[in-house]
Amino acid sequence: MRDKIRKYTEEINSFRTSRKEELEDFRIRYLSKKGIIPGLFSEFKDVPADQRRDIGLMLNELKNTAQEKFDQILHLLEAAETVQKPSLDLTLPADFMETGSRHPVSIIWNEIIAIFSRIGFTVAEGPDIEDDWHNFSALNFQEEHPARDMQDTFFLQEQPAFLLRTHTSSVQIRTMEKTRPPIRALFPGRVYRNEAISARAHCLFHQVEGLYVDRHVSFADLKQTLLYFAREMFGENTGIRLRPSFFPFTEPSAEMDISCFLCGGKGCRICKGTGWVEILGCGMVDPAVLDNCGINSTEYTGFAFGMGIERIAILRYQINDIRLFFENDIRFLRQFRSAL
Ligand code: DAH
């Protein structure tokens, strides 16, 4: 046994290689489960008791020598490999990396907010799931108003007291209930309507609501604010016109058209020959609505407006089908680039 151990110690000590395969042969020969050293350890049980101590020590030393030899050569080989790898070539052209683009609804959403924040409007959001009070009653909708009908509104099946908001006007109410004038804020968000989906209508779309409440807010303020918006959004030569209309929560109410940005008013496909395109609803906040929110309507007045974001995007980008906004077809989406 002693002689064998000496012989293997010598062999191991003189082992040299610069090849990984040979190092692996070495490991298999001496260290692997069926290798020489584990073999010697299993012979160890036959060693007479008086020699066990010495031979045990020699065996352990042999094992350590082999393991150290292996580790040392492995380390050297790996170090050599790293050095030999070709170093980074900084002159190679970079891999092409496609950058993403924003969704057109997000672009217009951000643009509207940017335009109004320049004149002091802040931004707030409300919940998509609303109650009847915030979506209808507080906004002065009568009990029998057709908008409350199942045909137009998605009510929650299990909780019919709750519904998916049909407009962002609900956030006006939430804001006026918890803040006192002056209020000058925008409320962007998703709205839902129980409509058949077509090129012109969708059951889900986005609106931005605007609200300004203070002492002495007048219809002239409303008109000037919306003219500013129209020119920022559609170009400085844009004109506006207000047509009388009706909304339960504003009095008087109006719909606003902009002069057609495509034909300049001469009449074309976009404005259907009229020279004007409708873009939003607006009006003076009905005193009953202020009172519903605990704002004294003899002291304060306000104006409000609401517009569909997809509608603005459709006009700006001349898109002919609202469904495109929700299909996420990459060929559609990658056409929009913007700084916002
Ligand atoms: N809520 C209206 C709608 O969804 C839009 C609207 C009209 C909002 C007039 C207003 C407003 O704030 O004053 O059709």
Side-chain angles (χ1 to χ4, degrees):
M1 187 85 166
R2 281 175 207 271
D3 289 345
K4 271 201 239 169
I5 296 177
R6 279 197 200 100
K7 182 183 132 225
Y8 290 132
T9 308
E10 239 166 68
E11 254 182 49
I12 289 169
N13 278 334
S14 59
F15 177 74
R16 304 262 181 291
T17 183
S18 57
R19 298 180 51 227
K20 270 201 151 172
E21 299 79 14
E22 281 179 12
L23 180 64
E24 180 58 9
D25 290 344
F26 173 91
R27 188 190 66 78
I28 293 170
R29 177 171 159 82
Y30 294 104
L31 292 163
S32 68
K33 255 195 197 138
K34 291 190 177 151
I36 288 169
I37 295 172
L40 291 173
F41 271 97
S42 47
E43 283 173 35
F44 182 69
K45 60 180 182 312
D46 304 327
V47 171
D50 59 337
Q51 297 178 29
R52 281 190 160 221
R53 208 185 103 82
D54 278 4
I55 291 186
L57 281 172
M58 285 175 79
L59 254 182
N60 274 330
E61 212 164 297
L62 177 70
K63 186 182 154 203
N64 291 340
T65 309
Q67 187 66 49
E68 273 164 25
K69 188 80 179 184
F70 175 81
D71 291 345
Q72 191 192 11
I73 295 179
L74 183 68
H75 181 77
L76 288 172
L77 290 181
E78 280 176 352
E81 237 173 36
T82 334
V83 172
Q84 275 166 19
K85 265 192 201 143
S87 53
L88 201 57
D89 183 354
L90 295 172
T91 66
L92 284 174
D95 282 346
F96 178 69
M97 222 206 295
E98 201 165 5
T99 50
S101 56
R102 274 193 212 289
H103 193 283
V105 168
S106 302
I107 297 175
I108 299 295
W109 170 310
N110 292 341
E111 248 176 66
I112 296 171
I113 287 172
I115 291 171
F116 282 101
S117 53
R118 292 202 280 277
I119 53 171
F121 280 72
T122 56
V123 179
E125 289 182 37
D128 288 23
I129 297 176
E130 263 301 357
D131 50 36
D132 180 90
W133 170 255
H134 292 95
N135 197 79
F136 293 128
S137 298
L139 286 161
N140 219 21
F141 281 79
Q142 299 308 305
E143 274 311 320
E144 324 73 44
H145 195 284
R148 294 182 182 225
D149 198 301
M150 301 295 270
Q151 247 95 64
D152 291 310
T153 306
F154 288 117
F155 292 91
L156 301 202
Q157 212 156 42
E158 309 282 320
Q159 306 268 342
F162 292 94
L163 48 89
L164 297 179
R165 66 178 175 199
T166 58
H167 53 184
T168 43
S169 304
S170 54
V171 195
Q172 282 187 35
I173 302 299
R174 291 191 172 270
T175 304
M176 289 191 283
E177 280 174 342
K178 60 173 201 279
T179 30
R180 298 296 96 187
I183 297 168
R184 199 163 13 173
L186 283 189
F187 315 118
R190 277 186 174 186
V191 302
Y192 307 82
R193 293 197 191 163
N194 193 358
E195 299 223 29
I197 297 172
S198 71
R200 326 207 82 244
H202 212 285
C203 58
L204 150 74
F205 57 101
H206 300 78
Q207 287 187 332
V208 179
E209 189 85 9
L211 177 71
Y212 181 21
V213 183
D214 201 351
R215 294 191 177 87
H216 315 301
V217 175
S218 70
F219 201 89
D221 297 321
L222 168 62
K223 196 171 167 187
Q224 195 58 37
T225 304
L226 293 179
L227 176 63
Y228 158 78
F229 166 71
R231 292 193 165 159
E232 292 290 305
M233 181 55 93
F234 292 102
E236 56 186 351
N237 297 321
T238 309
I240 61 167
R241 115 182 146 173
L242 291 164
R243 282 177 291 104
S245 183
F246 174 80
F247 299 102
F249 39 91
T250 42
E251 182 58 37
S253 305
E255 272 163 325
M256 184 173 99
D257 300 339
I258 54 167
S259 58
C260 184
F261 50 92
L262 198 63
C263 63
K266 284 192 219 66
C268 68
R269 188 176 49 85
I270 297 272
C271 59
K272 299 197 194 77
T274 65
W276 296 96
V277 208
E278 185 194 322
I279 62 160
L280 55 80
C282 60
M284 299 305 291
V285 180
D286 194 303
V289 173
L290 295 173
D291 292 330
N292 284 339
C293 303
I295 292 177
N296 185 347
S297 61
T298 60
E299 192 181 350
Y300 292 104
T301 53
F303 69 69
F305 57 87
M307 65 186 109
I309 300 184
E310 282 81 359
R311 169 114 189 108
I312 307 283
I314 278 172
L315 294 170
R316 268 278 293 268
Y317 298 122
Q318 291 168 46
I319 295 166
N320 58 13
D321 191 327
I322 194 173
R323 289 171 292 197
L324 286 166
F325 291 111
F326 303 99
E327 279 162 6
N328 286 330
D329 185 327
I330 200 77
R331 293 165 303 177
F332 172 72
L333 295 176
R334 65 157 55 112
Q335 298 177 58
F336 302 94
R337 303 274 154 180
S338 102
L340 284 174

